[in-house]
Amino acid sequence: MRILVATDFSPRSQRAVRRAGILAAQNSGVVILMHVVEGPDCAETAQDFREARLMTIEQIAVVPQLYRVPCVPLVARGRPSDAIRTAATVHSIDLIVAGYRCGAPTFGLRRTVGSLIRDAPCPILFVRRKAAAYARVLVPVDLSDASERALQSTVHLGLANRARVTVLHAFFAPGKARLRASGVSRGQIAGYVEGCRSRAARDVEAFLAGAGLSDWKWTRQIEEGGPRETIPRIAEDGLSDLLVIGTHTRSRLGKALLGSVTDDVLSTEGPDVLVVPSPRSRRGWLTWLTSRVGWSEPGPQVTATTAGRASAVGGQTCAR
């Protein structure tokens, strides 16, 4: 597994670096530690560029979760979301990891997060809690292709091998309010709702079978209500370490962007969130971006030791 973790050397990104180290160690992966220097390609930022390269190497050396994990320092110049997407594509990244502060993020962070959700070439893990091995993973499904991608990513990233996975499906009971207004007894309404729940459970089983995932011993949780209310409520109950969400669209006005279920989840306290974007055509996109975003060649592979030192293999990192 190749993991790209974005760092600005803040406590928020420090949590993300630790998480990347844990995942890489569990999956025999490689971590690319990336910092983006914002600003024009000019002499004024050259010193920042050099200092950033040294700081990334130092961070690799002092983070315990990166001990004995192959790490590569990488420094980019430009808009963070563009630079991260470019690096993820160029280096065939399987997972992007970034820190995220709960509550109301700054406008810049909110813009970067929205852009990554819309255009990232691979899943993005937003780290919000202290790093520890994931033991409980929650995957909401609406029986769509996006849900299947979320489940498949859970398997592909090795999360299903070490954690208890719960598949959550929210359903509506059509006409329930009308039955209540018509004087139907509570017992009859409850029976009707349970019938809807049973049908929803059968739909989930058929969905898992169609995706080739029915053999996994995952817990099923069928809840009445809409996804925008149900998913944040279940995610906030403290019983999950990670929430995996598949997005439906790349449109700027689509439901995948902030302002939808993803925003509802990220805006409240809760577990880490793994967002699995929908695929998109990349014809001409990479060429366009690389002509506008500068970055250094990845530095030599750095392996941190338990003595807190970093040893570099290969030549020196150089900026283009």
Side-chain angles (χ1 to χ4, degrees), residues 55-103:
M55 291 176 70
T56 55
I57 293 174
E58 181 180 354
Q59 190 168 32
I60 290 171
V62 301
V63 174
Q65 288 79 3
L66 296 181
Y67 291 165
R68 298 188 177 90
V69 171
C71 299
V72 178
L74 175 63
V75 179
R77 179 186 290 110
R79 182 181 176 186
S81 57
D82 291 346
I84 292 170
R85 294 198 309 268
T86 300
T89 301
V90 169
H91 300 293
S92 302
I93 296 299
D94 298 298
L95 176 67
I96 297 170
V97 181
Y100 191 88
R101 180 171 57 85
C102 297

Side-chain angles (χ1 to χ4, degrees), residues 173-301:
K176 178 181 175 180
R178 184 174 300 176
L179 292 175
R180 186 181 295 112
S182 300
V184 177
S185 69
R186 292 184 178 179
Q188 289 176 308
I189 293 176
Y192 168 68
V193 171
E194 287 308 306
C196 294
R197 187 187 307 274
S198 297
R199 287 192 292 274
R202 290 194 294 270
D203 290 341
V204 169
E205 294 304 319
F207 170 72
L208 293 175
L213 298 169
S214 57
D215 291 338
W216 288 90
K217 305 303 181 183
W218 293 338
T219 301
R220 279 68 156 167
Q221 186 170 351
I222 313 299
E223 295 283 339
E224 182 187 6
R228 292 198 65 171
E229 299 79 29
T230 302
I231 295 173
R233 174 173 58 83
I234 300 299
E236 287 181 58
D237 65 8
L239 299 180
S240 299
D241 306 311
L242 175 66
L243 177 65
V244 184
I245 299 179
T247 61
H248 289 271
T249 178
R250 297 299 185 126
S251 168
R252 289 181 178 274
L253 299 178
K255 296 180 181 179
L257 298 186
L258 301 183
S260 64
V261 173
T262 306
D263 186 32
D264 294 341
V265 170
L266 289 174
S267 297
T268 58
E269 295 291 338
D272 293 355
V273 180
L274 176 65
V275 179
V276 183
S278 59
R280 63 173 294 171
S281 172
R282 301 198 165 273
R283 187 182 305 274
W285 174 78
L286 181 58
T287 301
W288 183 86
L289 272 184
T290 52
S291 67
R292 290 161 172 78
V293 180
W295 71 88
S296 69
E297 289 288 350
Q301 180 173 301

Side-chain angles (χ1 to χ4, degrees), residues 32-46:
I32 296 179
L33 184 61
M34 180 179 187
H35 176 75
V36 180
V37 177
E38 296 189 67
D41 185 5
C42 59
E44 284 76 8
T45 61

